[in-house]
Amino acid sequence: GTSLAESMRIGTQVSNALMQVPGVRLVAQRAGRANGVVDPTGVQLSEFEVDLKPMGASGQSWALYRIRLAMARFPGLSTSVNTFLEERIDETISGTTAPVVVNVFGNNLDVIDRTAQQIAQLIGTIHGVASVRVDSPPGIPELDVRLNPDALSRWGFRPVEVLDAIQAAYAGVSVSQIYEGSRTYDVAVVLAPAQRRSVSDVGKLMVRNADGFAVPLLALATIRQVAGRYQITHDGGQRVQTVSVNLGNRAVSDFVNEAQARVNREIRMPPDTYAVFSGESEARAQSQRDLLAYGGIALVGIALLLFLAMKNRRAVLLVMINLPFALVGGVLGVVLTGANLSLGSMVGFVTLLGISLRNSIMLISHYEHLVHVDGLAWNMGTAVRGASERLVPILMTALVTALALAPLAVTSGAPGNEIEGPMAIVILGGLITSTALNLIVLPTLALRYGRFLRDEVAESGTANA
């Protein structure tokens, strides 16, 4: 229920506080969004765009921390601080700018509002919560104008005439257009601000009927201030109230598991009312399931293609056995850097498996070339020679990839690098273990279990010919 003037007054104080944060160069406020856009909001919601001075990843993280501290000094404000990429991703996934969203569905607006408030209060007590907000809170002050049918008949008014007069006075009505070059501007007429400052001024509005007779609106309707809602949201044709949750440093999946358990245990849902957790956690889980499913299908296809090319089951198994080597390094990279297993990390694992398979194929195929083409016997000397001859290509592949990904891994925590950073860490960690084990362990396994025997029958037939 905050007015535009009050939002701008508070926004000025917030902007001044943010400008005192070291590293902040510019602060711009936008109060509300117009009704003509896709996602309009009331003027009680303000967005601040904060422009930082050029700085490194650690400096940006420190600036974000100081910004959160500055916003925490304003009591009564529900705030969230996100980078541009995080906000766009969250808004695309769930329609809000928060990573965790609880949608409360039901038929009765008052019931789902009370339930949403209870859930918000409960979630606010869970460790790791930065802020909790009910997106469409009830209790917004509004004017209720109820027309009196007897008074309308007595004074000769039609309901539509009164409603049109109220709309023209307080919402404005377009009466003309101005053309300036190729641009067109509407000319709107609205009641003067001095005549619409208080509730009592509404009753003084003079309404004129078709005969030209003017009567104050108070004589035609009952006017009172009530508590209402500035918007009623729906999802899939059902009424819904949304609770948005912003987190600190806690993992989203871990928080959602605890929050779901506590809501199911401590909140008693009224009949025909239920809560659904969504947002980043749900989208991440679905993406990970899809990625694992498609990755498994791809691995099966790769194994079949390798068998068709090599005609040797042992060679295919030796190629595929390098995959655990790569996974070990990727997991160690995630653990040592303290990162979470995000979607970017999952993409990094898929990329890493491709690089690891390429190196294994290079080594095993070279062993086959040494035995079948060069005519060498399969023994320790051949295994060592093949590994030494493939040493430079494998190391160059790993080195070039590492040099390309190193800047992304170093700046993994920088704003705007939320996806590429974890992906680079996984690939770099996997490259280290995969390359080392590919040149040390794989030749040993190939010597012990590989069967790269020459086709002596074919060779004797060729010699006799």
Side-chain angles (χ1 to χ4, degrees), residues 287-309:
S287 299
Q288 290 176 349
R289 288 192 295 268
D290 294 342
L291 194 59
L292 290 175
Y294 297 147
I297 295 173
L299 284 178
V300 173
I302 291 172
L304 292 176
L305 292 176
L306 288 174
F307 180 76
L308 293 175

Side-chain angles (χ1 to χ4, degrees), residues 340-356:
N340 298 318
L341 190 60
S342 62
L343 183 60
S345 301
M346 299 288 288
V347 175
F349 277 113
V350 174
T351 306
L352 179 59
L353 295 182
I355 299 175
S356 179

Side-chain angles (χ1 to χ4, degrees), residues 421-449:
M423 178 186 68
I425 291 175
V426 168
I427 296 176
L428 287 178
L431 281 177
I432 295 174
T433 57
S434 175
T435 303
L437 297 175
N438 197 13
L439 296 173
I440 299 174
V441 179
L442 187 58
T444 304
L445 295 175
L447 182 63
R448 173 65 179 82
Y449 299 104

